[in-house]
């Protein structure tokens, strides 16, 4: 529903565009707080946006335990951005849509370094 939100959404629910945008904004605030808690180095806005997008898609726990976060915190900036490309599978199957999304996120991440 909306931008992939599932929290509190029931089958048959309908939302306006404004409601969807408000729901996304509230959700992203929570993801941002968790991202900031597990990433220990400063980053450019572009890198932050790429990491937040990945976190929103794979979950905060998944992001914070990922090679992306680990490599970034270790100072291996380029490798952290490149590691985003690994998250292009669902149920073990490479998904073209996820591959495109990760390619765009990686480019945004690299733009910030």
């Amino acid at each position: 529903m909306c931008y992939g939100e599932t929290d509190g959404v029931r089958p048959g629910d309908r939302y306006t565009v404004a409601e969807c945008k408000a729901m996304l904004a509230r959700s992203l605030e929570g993801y941002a707080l968790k991202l900031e808690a597990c990433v220990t180095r400063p980053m450019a806005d572009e890198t932050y946006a790429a990491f937040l997008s990945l976190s929103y898609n794979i979950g905060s726990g998944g992001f914070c335990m990922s090679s992306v976060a680990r490599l970034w915190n270790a100072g291996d900036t380029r490798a952290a951005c490149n590691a985003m490309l690994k998250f292009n599978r669902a149920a073990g199957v490479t998904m073209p849509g996820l591959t495109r999304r990760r390619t765009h996120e990686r480019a945004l991440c690299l733009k910030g370094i």
Side-chain angles (χ1 to χ4, degrees):
M1 175 95 346
C2 293
Y3 298 100
E5 291 293 326
T6 57
D7 191 32
V9 176
R10 295 182 316 265
D13 284 352
R14 300 219 184 276
Y15 298 93
T16 66
V17 172
E19 289 170 327
C20 287
K21 288 181 179 182
M23 192 183 301
L24 176 63
R26 281 191 305 273
S27 186
L28 286 177
E29 286 177 15
Y31 281 93
L33 290 172
K34 292 174 184 172
L35 170 69
E36 292 165 12
C38 73
V39 173
T40 58
R41 292 180 47 235
M43 67 192 82
D45 290 345
E46 295 89 351
T47 302
Y48 184 90
F51 286 176
L52 185 59
S53 177
L54 178 63
S55 180
Y56 181 77
N57 189 238
I58 68 170
S60 296
F63 177 83
C64 288
M65 296 185 322
S66 74
S67 56
V68 175
R70 183 175 34 78
L71 289 163
W72 181 266
N73 289 337
D76 201 344
T77 305
R78 187 167 298 278
C81 294
N82 289 336
M84 297 177 82
L85 298 175
K86 296 177 184 178
F87 296 90
N88 68 340
R89 293 176 180 81
V93 178
T94 300
M95 306 297 285
L98 287 177
T99 299
R100 283 190 301 276
R101 180 177 180 155
R102 298 302 170 244
T103 300
H104 290 195
E105 289 167 343
R106 176 184 172 268
L108 187 58
C109 183
L110 290 171
K111 186 176 179 183
I113 61 173

